[in-house]
C-alpha cells in the first residue's frame, strides 16, 4: 500500500466536492487493494472493469461519482431538497428576529372558520389545492401551515444536531484516539457513561428542563446527547490511522499535534464521519418526534412534527388527517436521509462491490466466460 | 480471566456511578417538584410543602442530595436498601417491583422475536442478493427504520386490534383478501426459494393454491372464532416441520435422520390423545417446562435408537423436531380455551389494545390456559410494534454479515472440499455470521427500552415507561433514578452476556489481558 506520501495539507482535502490528491492514502484504496485478484481470475476481470472506470481519478472524485450514480440516494436527495424548500418557503422564516413571510396565506397560528368539518380540500384528480389542502383542526387552524412549520422546526433540529454532535464527537474521538493513555481512558469512560443512559431518557430530561426555551434550545440539548456513537467510531479510526507512515512523515516534518490530528488524520476519516452523521440525523428526527410525542420536546405555541402528533393523538379516529400528514412528513424526511446515508456509505466504502447495473454485469459475465475458455 | 473480570467490573461500576450522577443532577434541575403543591388551594399548603421538602431533602442542593440517595443504595450492604421515596411518599422499590415485571415481559418477547425473524429475513435476502425479493426486503427495512414507533403502535391498535375484533363480531372475509393474500404469499415464497423461471413459476403456483385453500378453510369454518389444530393438522404440520428440520440440519439425503423426525411426529400425534384426557386447568408453568425437556429427551432417544454411524446427528434432529411438535400440541391446547376466553372474559373482543392484563382476572378464573391467553392477547400488539422497529436493523445487519462471510476464504475452502450448499451455508457461513450480531443486540437494548416507553404510553401499560413518564412530568427524582438503575443494570448485564456469548461463539477470542 502506498503510504509514504502525506496527504495534501490543504484543509480542503476533507471537502467532498473538491478533488483530493491522487496519492492520498486511504484505507482499503481501490487501486491498492484488489482482494483475491491474484488467485482468482474472474474476480480480476471484474476488478479490471471497475478499475477502468476509475482510472486517473482522485479518491474524492471517485466518491462523488459513485454517489451521483446511486439512484436511490439521488432520488432521495431531490425529494429532501423539495421538502426543505417547501417547508421554508411556504411558512417563511421567523427566527433570530428576521421575519420573511411565506407564500402560503395562513400562518400556523391563524384561526379560521371551520369549513366542511375541517376535511382536507386537496384532490389529486382534478388537481386542486383548495383552501385547506391538509384540512383543519378543531380550532380551525390550517393543518398545511402547521405541518410546514413543524417540518421547518424538525429539519432545523436535525441539522443542528448533526452539526453539533459531529463537532463534539469528532473532537472527543480524535483526542482520545490520538493521545491514547489517560486522556483516552478518561474521555472514553465519560462516553460510556453517556451511552449507558438511554438516549430517550437523556433527551427527555434535557427537553423537560429546556424545552420551554424554544425549539433551537431543544436542538442543542439533543445534540449534546447524541454524539457518543460518532466519538467511538472516530476514535477507532484515528487509532488505526495514527500508526500509518504519513503520520510519521508529518511528525518528522515538524507538524504539531493539532495539525496532524485535524489536517492529516481527519481528512482520512471523513468517510466514517459523513456516513454516520447522516444516519444519526435520520435517527434524530425519530428521537425528536418521540420526545415531543411524550411532551418533553418542542412546546406550544411552537410546533414540531412530533409535537403536532402529540397534540392530535386523540383525534386519530375522528380527524385522521391531523395524524397522517405530520407522520408522512416524518417518514419522508427520515427515509430520504437514510437512503442518502446508504448511498454515501456505498460511495465511501471501496471494498463494497456495488450492485453493477445490467450492462456492467453482462460484460463482467462475458469477461469471466472469456477467462474460463482461455 | 479473573483479573479481566475484576477490572471490567470496577470500570463498569465507575461508569454507572458517573452516569447516575449525571442523571440525578440533570433530572433534579428539570423543574420544580413542588409545582403541584404550589398550585393547590388546600388550607395547609405551607405545611404540605414543608413536609415534602423534609421528606425529599429538597433543601439540600441537588449535587449533594445525590449522595444522600447513594447512601440509601449503599446501605443495601447492611440490609437497609432503599431507592428513596416518590413525591407521594411511595417507596420506589415497591413501584419498581410491579413495573419491571411487566416491561421485562414485553422486552424479552420482542427481542427474541426480532432476532429470530430478523436473522431469518436477513439470511434469506443475503442468499438471494440482488433479486427482487432482496430489493423489496431492503426497501421495507429502510421504511421500518424510518417509522416512528408511536406511529406503528397507533396503526396496529386501529387497524389490527380493533379491525380484528370487528371481524370476530361479524366473521365475513372481504373478497379482496381471497385475491391479495395468496398472491403476496406466492410472491414471498417465490422470492425466498428462487431458482430458474420454471421453478419459480411452480413455487408461485403451489404457494398461491395452498394459501388460497388456507384462507378458504378459515373463512368457511370461522377458524378465528374457534381455532383448533386437531390431530390431523398436527400430523400434517408436524410432517412438514420434520422435513424442514431435517433439510436444514442434516439434509434430506440422510435417511436415518428423516426417519427419526417422522417417528417423533408419529409419537407426538399418539401422545396428543392422552394429553386431551388431562383436562386439568390447574397446570402451572414449571411442569410445562419439564414436559418440554422430556419431549426433547424423547426426541434424542429416538434418534439415538435409529442408530447408524452418526447417531448423534439424528438425535439432534429428533430433539429439535420433538420440541417443535410439543409446541404444536401446546398451541392446540391453548386454542381449545380460546372460545371460553374470548366470550367469557373479553365479550368477544379478545385482542386487547389497552393495559397489560385483564384486571382481576384471577378472581374470574384460575385456569393456566386462560391466563396464558390473556397475557398473549395483551402482549401481541405492543410486542409486534416494538419488534418491527428492531427487526429492520437486525435483518440489515445479518444480511451484511452473511454477505461478508460468504466472500471469505474459508467459505471458498469449504466449497472446494466439495461440501454441498446446505452444509456451507448452515454450518460454515450462518454460524459465523451470527457473531457480530451479539454485540448489536446488547447495544440495542437501550434503544428498545426507549421504544418501550413510547409503546407503553400508546397501549396504556403501567410499566417502566409509565413510571418514567409520570416521574419526569412531576420532576420526581427518586423514581426516575429507580428507572435509571434498572436500565443501567440491564444494559450492563446485556453487555456482559454479549461478551460471554462472543467468546463462546468465536474461538479466536480468548478473554485475557
Amino acid at each position: 500500500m502506498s503510504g509514504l506520501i502525506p496527504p495534501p495539507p490543504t484543509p480542503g482535502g476533507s471537502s467532498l466536492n473538491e478533488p483530493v490528491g491522487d496519492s492520498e492514502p486511504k484505507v482499503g484504496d481501490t487501486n491498492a487493494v484488489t482482494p483475491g485478484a491474484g488467485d482468482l481470475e474472474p474476480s480480476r476481470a471484474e476488478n479490471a472493469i471497475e478499475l477502468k472506470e476509475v482510472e486517473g481519478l482522485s479518491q474524492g472524485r471517485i466518491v462523488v461519482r459513485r454517489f451521483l450514480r446511486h439512484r436511490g440516494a439521488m432520488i432521495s436527495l431531490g425529494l429532501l431538497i423539495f421538502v426543505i424548500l417547501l417547508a421554508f418557503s411556504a411558512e417563511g422564516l421567523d427566527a433570530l428576529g428576521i421575519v420573511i413571510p411565506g407564500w402560503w396565506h395562513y400562518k400556523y397560528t391563524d384561526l379560521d372558520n371551520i369549513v366542511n368539518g375541517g376535511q382536507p380540500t386537496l384532490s389529486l384528480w382534478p388537481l386542486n389545492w383548495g383552501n385547506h389542502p391538509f384540512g383543519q383542526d378543531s380550532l380551525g387552524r390550517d393543518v398545511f401551515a402547521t405541518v410546514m412549520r413543524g417540518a421547518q422546526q424538525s429539519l432545523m433540529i436535525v441539522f443542528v444536531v448533526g452539526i453539533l454532535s459531529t463537532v463534539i464527537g469528532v473532537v472527543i474521538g480524535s483526542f482520545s484516539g490520538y493521545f491514547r493513555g489517560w486522556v483516552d481512558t478518561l474521555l472514553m469512560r465519560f462516553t460510556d457513561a453517556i451511552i449507558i443512559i438511554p438516549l430517550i431518557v437523556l433527551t427527555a430530561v434535557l427537553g423537560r428542563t429546556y424545552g420551554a426555551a424554544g425549539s433551537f434550545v431543544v436542538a442543542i440539548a439533543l445534540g449534546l446527547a447524541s454524539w457518543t456513537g460518532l466519538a467511538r467510531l472516530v476514535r477507532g479510526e484515528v487509532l488505526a490511522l495514527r500508526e500509518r507512515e504519513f503520520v510519521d512523515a508529518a511528525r518528522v516534518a515538524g507538524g504539531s499535534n493539532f495539525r496532524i490530528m485535524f489536517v492529516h488524520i481527519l481528512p482520512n476519516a471523513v468517510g466514517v464521519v459523513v456516513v454516520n452523521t447522516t444516519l444519526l440525523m435520520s435517527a434524530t428526527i425519530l428521537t425528536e418526534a418521540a420526545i415531543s410525542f411524550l411532551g418533553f420536546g418542542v412546546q406550544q405555541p411552537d410546533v414540531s412534527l412530533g409535537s403536532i402528533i402529540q397534540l392530535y393523538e386523540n383525534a386519530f379516529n375522528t380527524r385522521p388527517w391531523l395524524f397522517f400528514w405530520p407522520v408522512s412528513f416524518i417518514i419522508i424526511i427520515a427515509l430520504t436521509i437514510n437512503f442518502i446515508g446508504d448511498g454515501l456509505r456505498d460511495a465511501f466504502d471501496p471494498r463494497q462491490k456495488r450492485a453493477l447495473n445490467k450492462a456492467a454485469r453482462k460484460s463482467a459475465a462475458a469477461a469471466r466466460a472469456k477467462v474460463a475458455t482461455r | 480471566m479473573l483479573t479481566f473480570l475484576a477490572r471490567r467490573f470496577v470500570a463498569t461500576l465507575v461508569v454507572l456511578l458517573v452516569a447516575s450522577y449525571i442523571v440525578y443532577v440533570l433530572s433534579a434541575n428539570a423543574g420544580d417538584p413542588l409545582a403541584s403543591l404550589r398550585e393547590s388551594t388546600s388550607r395547609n399548603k405551607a405545611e404540605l410543602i414543608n413536609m415534602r421538602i423534609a421528606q425529599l431533602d429538597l433543601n439540600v442542593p441537588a449535587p449533594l442530595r445525590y449522595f444522600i440517595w447513594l447512601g440509601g443504595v449503599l446501605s443495601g450492604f447492611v440490609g437497609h436498601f432503599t431507592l428513596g421515596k416518590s413525591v407521594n411518599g411511595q417507596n420506589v422499590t415497591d413501584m419498581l417491583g410491579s413495573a419491571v415485571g411487566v416491561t421485562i415481559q414485553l422486552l424479552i418477547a420482542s427481542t427474541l422475536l426480532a432476532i429470530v425473524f430478523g436473522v431469518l429475513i436477513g439470511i434469506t435476502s443475503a442468499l438471494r442478493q440482488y433479486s427482487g425479493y432482496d430489493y423489496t426486503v431492503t426497501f421495507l427495512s429502510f421504511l421500518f427504520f424510518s417509522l416512528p414507533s408511536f406511529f406503528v403502535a397507533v396503526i396496529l391498535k386501529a387497524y389490527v386490534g380493533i379491525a380484528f375484533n370487528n371481524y370476530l363480531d361479524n366473521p365475513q372475509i372481504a373478497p379482496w383478501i381471497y385475491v391479495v393474500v395468496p398472491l403476496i404469499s406466492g410472491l414471498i415464497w417465490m422470492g425466498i426459494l428462487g431458482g430458474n423461471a420454471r421453478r419459480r413459476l411452480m413455487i408461485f403456483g403451489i404457494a398461491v393454491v395452498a394459501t388460497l385453500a388456507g384462507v378458504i378453510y378459515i373463512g368457511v369454518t370461522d377458524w378465528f372464532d374457534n381455532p383448533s389444530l386437531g390431530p390431523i393438522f398436527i400430523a400434517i404440520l408436524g410432517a412438514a416441520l420434520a422435513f424442514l428440520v431435517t433439510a436444514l440440519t442434516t439434509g434430506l439425503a440422510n435417511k436415518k435422520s428423516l426417519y427419526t423426525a417422522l417417528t417423533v411426529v408419529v409419537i407426538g400425534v399418539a401422545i396428543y390423545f392422552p394429553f386431551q384426557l388431562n383436562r386439568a386447568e390447574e397446570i402451572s408453568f414449571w411442569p410445562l417446562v419439564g414436559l418440554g425437556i422430556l419431549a426433547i429427551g424423547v426426541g434424542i432417544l429416538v434418534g439415538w435408537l435409529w442408530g447408524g454411524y452418526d447417531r448423534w446427528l439424528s438425535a439432534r434432529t429428533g430433539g429439535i423436531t420433538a420440541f417443535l411438535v410439543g409446541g404444536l400440541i401446546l398451541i392446540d391446547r391453548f386454542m381449545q380455551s380460546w372460545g371460553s376466553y374470548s366470550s367469557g372474559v373479553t365479550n368477544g373482543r379478545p385482542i386487547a389494545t389497552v393495559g397489560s392484563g385483564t384486571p382481576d382476572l384471577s378472581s374470574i378464573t384460575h385456569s393456566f390456559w386462560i391466563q396464558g391467553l390473556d397475557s398473549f392477547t395483551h402482549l401481541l400488539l405492543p410486542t409486534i410494534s416494538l419488534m418491527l422497529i428492531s427487526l429492520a436493523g437486525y435483518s440489515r445487519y445479518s444480511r451484511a454479515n452473511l454477505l461478508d462471510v460468504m466472500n471469505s476464504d474459508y467459505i471458498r475452502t469449504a466449497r472446494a472440499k466439495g461440501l454441498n450448499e446446505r452444509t456451507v451455508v448452515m454450518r460454515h457461513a450462518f454460524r459465523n455470521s451470527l457473531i457480530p450480531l451479539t454485540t448489536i443486540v446488547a447495544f440495542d437494548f437501550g434503544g428498545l427500552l426507549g421504544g418501550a416507553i413510547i409503546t407503553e404510553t400508546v397501549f396504556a401499560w403501567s410499566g417502566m415507561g409509565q413510571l418514567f413518564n409520570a416521574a419526569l412530568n412531576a420532576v420526581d427524582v427518586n423514581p426516575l433514578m429507580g428507572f435509571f438503575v434498572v436500565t443501567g443494570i440491564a444494559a450492563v448485564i446485556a453487555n456482559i452476556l454479549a461478551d460471554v456469548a462472543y467468546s463462546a461463539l468465536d474461538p479466536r477470542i480468548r478473554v485475557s489481558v
Side-chain angles (χ1 to χ4, degrees):
Chain A
M1 237 185 259
S2 69
L4 287 171
I5 310 149
T10 48
S14 62
S15 160
L16 282 185
N17 303 320
E18 265 177 67
V20 279
D22 256 0
S23 53
E24 185 192 4
K26 180 90 186 162
V27 190
D29 196 319
T30 335
N31 292 313
V33 185
T34 44
D39 48 352
L40 205 72
E41 289 286 303
S43 98
R44 182 195 275 175
E46 267 174 41
N47 278 328
I49 293 166
E50 282 202 22
L51 282 184
K52 189 128 201 172
E53 255 179 63
V54 297
E55 226 166 40
L57 289 177
S58 71
Q59 187 69 35
R61 272 253 182 268
I62 296 172
V63 169
V64 172
R65 249 175 78 155
R66 279 192 184 167
F67 180 65
L68 291 179
R69 280 192 193 166
H70 198 285
R71 204 182 299 145
M74 285 337 278
I75 296 173
S76 300
L77 191 63
L79 197 57
L80 184 64
I81 290 175
F82 172 73
V83 169
I84 293 174
L85 289 180
L86 182 70
F88 280 90
S89 69
E91 271 300 281
L93 206 63
D94 182 4
L96 306 170
I98 309 165
V99 180
I100 304 169
W103 50 262
W104 189 243
H105 42 270
Y106 291 106
K107 294 285 292 173
Y108 68 101
T109 42
D110 288 352
L111 302 179
D112 194 17
N113 292 329
I114 298 174
V115 185
N116 190 18
Q119 293 270 1
T121 54
L122 176 70
S123 70
L124 285 180
W125 191 260
L127 186 66
N128 180 25
W129 281 88
N131 214 17
H132 297 288
F134 291 1
Q136 286 172 293
D137 72 0
S138 52
L139 294 177
R141 280 179 292 203
D142 182 47
V143 177
F144 179 75
T146 316
V147 169
M148 286 305 114
R149 173 70 184 182
Q152 263 187 25
Q153 298 305 308
S154 291
L155 284 166
M156 183 271 291
I157 289 172
V158 163
F159 283 103
V160 169
V161 170
I163 294 167
L164 194 61
S165 51
T166 307
V167 170
I168 302 177
V170 163
V171 168
I172 288 190
S174 316
F175 269 78
S176 160
Y178 186 78
F179 289 112
R180 300 192 296 190
W182 63 268
V183 178
D184 182 27
T185 313
L186 205 67
L187 288 175
M188 276 304 116
R189 286 296 157 268
F190 178 63
T191 312
D192 283 346
I194 302 291
I195 284 181
I196 213 167
I197 308 171
L199 185 64
I200 197 155
V201 171
L202 194 54
T203 49
V205 170
L206 286 173
R208 171 78 173 80
T209 320
Y210 303 110
S215 44
F216 189 72
V217 183
V218 173
I220 291 179
L222 274 167
L224 289 177
S226 34
W227 49 270
T228 47
L230 199 68
R232 275 190 166 183
L233 286 168
V234 170
R235 170 179 175 267
E237 200 75 352
V238 171
L239 270 181
L241 285 171
R242 77 188 294 285
E243 306 298 331
R244 300 278 294 277
E245 292 89 338
F246 67 87
V247 174
D248 291 342
R251 199 170 289 132
V252 168
S256 67
N257 282 337
F258 285 85
R259 191 178 172 79
I260 294 174
M261 258 194 301
F262 292 109
V263 178
H264 294 267
I265 294 183
L266 203 57
N268 285 295
V270 74
V272 173
V273 174
V274 168
V275 170
N276 285 287
T277 305
T278 322
L279 297 178
L280 173 82
M281 281 160 69
S282 80
T284 298
I285 193 155
L286 297 184
T287 316
E288 186 275 326
I291 64 165
S292 293
F293 177 74
L294 292 176
F296 302 126
V298 176
Q299 302 291 329
Q300 288 282 334
D302 210 343
V303 290
S304 74
L305 290 175
S307 73
I308 298 175
I309 295 165
Q310 190 237 352
L311 203 60
Y312 300 139
E313 192 205 349
N314 296 324
F316 180 64
N317 288 320
T318 49
R319 293 165 182 243
W321 58 88
L322 295 178
F323 187 82
F324 275 112
W325 284 113
V327 164
S328 33
F329 270 84
I330 290 179
I331 294 174
I332 290 173
I333 295 172
L335 196 61
T336 50
I337 299 181
N338 252 330
F339 269 111
I340 294 170
D342 193 51
L344 284 171
R345 178 166 38 203
D346 284 358
F348 272 110
D349 189 354
R351 286 168 309 170
Q352 200 160 1
K353 270 198 199 134
R354 287 160 308 131
L356 301 168
N357 59 25
K358 218 166 206 168
R361 229 181 300 168
K362 238 178 220 162
S363 63
R368 213 177 294 145
K370 213 165 137 196
V371 169
T373 50
R374 194 164 51 193
Chain B
M1 179 75 188
L2 264 181
T3 44
F4 172 78
L5 280 184
R7 271 176 63 165
R8 189 70 209 255
F9 185 71
V10 170
T12 317
L13 215 60
V14 171
V15 165
L16 260 183
L17 278 179
V18 173
S20 67
Y21 190 75
I22 296 173
V23 173
Y24 196 95
V25 174
L26 283 180
S27 52
N29 286 328
D32 181 12
L34 299 173
S36 60
L37 283 183
R38 285 190 215 283
E39 286 161 10
S40 88
T41 50
S42 69
R43 206 161 291 191
N44 55 349
K45 189 167 139 187
E47 206 173 302
L48 284 175
I49 290 181
N50 283 333
M51 216 174 83
R52 186 173 287 181
I53 289 178
Q55 192 175 36
L56 301 178
D57 297 313
L58 290 181
N59 43 8
V60 182
L64 296 178
R65 214 187 319 149
Y66 169 78
F67 293 100
I68 299 179
W69 176 84
L70 189 65
V73 176
L74 290 183
S75 56
F77 289 111
V78 289
H80 300 293
F81 180 74
T82 172
L83 285 171
K85 290 189 170 171
S86 74
V87 284
N88 299 323
Q90 243 181 316
N91 264 330
V92 172
T93 31
D94 298 341
M95 293 166 74
L96 282 178
S98 56
V100 169
V102 168
T103 303
I104 288 288
Q105 255 185 352
L106 180 65
L107 284 183
I108 290 182
S110 51
T111 308
L112 286 182
L113 284 176
I115 293 173
V116 169
F117 285 109
V119 168
L120 232 122
I121 293 171
I123 299 283
T124 46
S125 68
L127 292 177
R128 304 275 170 262
Q129 198 188 7
Y130 303 145
S131 66
Y133 173 74
D134 183 34
Y135 285 126
T136 316
V137 165
T138 304
F139 181 77
L140 283 183
S141 55
F142 268 105
L143 186 65
F144 281 116
F145 228 53
S146 320
L147 287 182
S149 47
F150 53 82
F151 174 68
V152 179
V154 170
I155 290 293
L156 279 176
K157 209 166 139 172
Y159 292 115
V160 177
I162 294 175
F164 184 74
N165 285 337
N166 286 341
Y167 162 76
L168 286 189
D169 273 352
N170 178 25
Q172 287 284 330
I173 295 183
W176 61 269
I177 288 182
Y178 286 106
V179 181
V180 173
V181 174
L183 281 182
I184 289 177
S185 128
L187 287 175
I188 291 175
W189 284 108
M190 188 173 85
I192 291 178
L193 294 175
N196 57 19
R198 217 190 118 197
R199 196 175 115 105
R200 290 162 73 96
L201 208 64
M202 211 169 71
I203 293 168
F204 180 73
I206 294 173
V208 167
V209 170
T211 317
L212 188 63
V215 176
I216 290 175
Y217 179 79
I218 286 173
V220 169
T221 58
D222 284 347
W223 193 80
F224 280 118
D225 249 343
N226 201 3
S228 70
L229 290 175
I232 300 169
F233 272 97
I234 288 183
I236 296 175
L237 286 175
L241 280 176
F243 274 96
L244 187 72
V245 170
T246 318
L248 288 180
T249 53
T250 57
L252 290 175
N254 189 333
K255 288 292 175 236
K256 288 255 159 68
S257 187
L258 184 61
Y259 294 152
T260 307
L262 290 174
T263 315
V264 168
V265 175
V266 171
I267 294 176
V269 174
I271 281 180
Y272 173 80
F273 291 102
F275 197 72
Q276 302 308 306
L277 296 177
N278 177 16
R279 282 252 167 199
E281 302 277 294
E282 299 274 334
I283 196 167
S284 62
F285 181 68
W286 290 110
L288 265 184
V289 174
L291 280 181
I293 295 172
L294 189 70
I296 296 175
V298 170
I300 292 175
L301 184 70
V302 170
W304 195 78
L305 287 178
W306 267 102
Y309 63 94
D310 49 0
R311 44 177 48 170
W312 287 111
L313 276 184
S314 312
R316 191 181 62 188
T317 314
I320 297 173
T321 317
F323 182 74
L324 294 177
V325 173
L328 281 180
I329 296 175
L330 190 69
I331 290 173
D332 180 75
R333 182 61 193 83
F334 271 118
M335 283 175 172
Q336 290 178 19
S337 296
W338 179 260
S340 60
Y341 171 73
S342 167
S343 56
V345 180
T346 62
N347 290 328
R349 302 186 73 81
I351 302 296
T353 52
V354 165
S356 56
T358 306
D360 290 329
L361 183 66
S362 53
S363 66
I364 303 174
T365 172
H366 283 291
S367 159
F368 172 78
W369 309 107
I370 300 249
Q371 284 176 351
L373 281 174
D374 189 59
S375 19
F376 168 74
T377 54
H378 282 87
L379 268 172
L380 184 67
L381 297 180
T383 307
I384 294 177
S385 79
L386 259 187
M387 181 192 83
L388 283 181
I389 306 240
S390 32
L391 180 75
Y394 292 163
S395 74
R396 293 305 294 163
Y397 281 122
S398 52
R399 174 180 181 273
N401 288 341
L402 189 68
L403 286 178
D404 226 31
V405 168
M406 289 299 267
N407 282 330
S408 55
D409 289 342
Y410 61 84
I411 294 296
R412 193 182 303 147
T413 314
R415 289 226 169 90
K417 282 199 294 196
L419 297 180
N420 56 15
E421 191 64 19
R422 182 193 62 76
T423 318
V424 171
V425 172
M426 287 298 293
R427 201 170 298 169
H428 295 250
F430 171 65
R431 289 185 187 181
N432 287 305
S433 76
L434 285 184
I435 294 171
L437 205 70
T438 52
T439 8
I440 304 289
V441 171
F443 197 72
D444 204 47
F445 204 73
L448 208 59
L449 229 133
I453 294 179
I454 305 274
T455 314
E456 284 182 8
T457 312
V458 174
F459 287 100
W461 279 43
S462 48
M464 299 283 284
Q466 197 77 16
L467 183 95
F468 172 78
N469 252 334
L472 188 54
N473 258 321
V475 200
D476 195 352
V477 181
N478 286 336
L480 257 177
M481 289 307 289
F483 177 87
F484 172 72
V485 167
V486 173
T487 57
I489 291 175
V492 169
I493 292 177
N495 270 314
I496 291 176
L497 283 182
D499 278 359
V500 172
Y502 213 112
S503 61
L505 284 171
D506 192 344
R508 285 171 305 181
I509 293 178
R510 286 282 164 258
V511 178
S512 59
V513 186

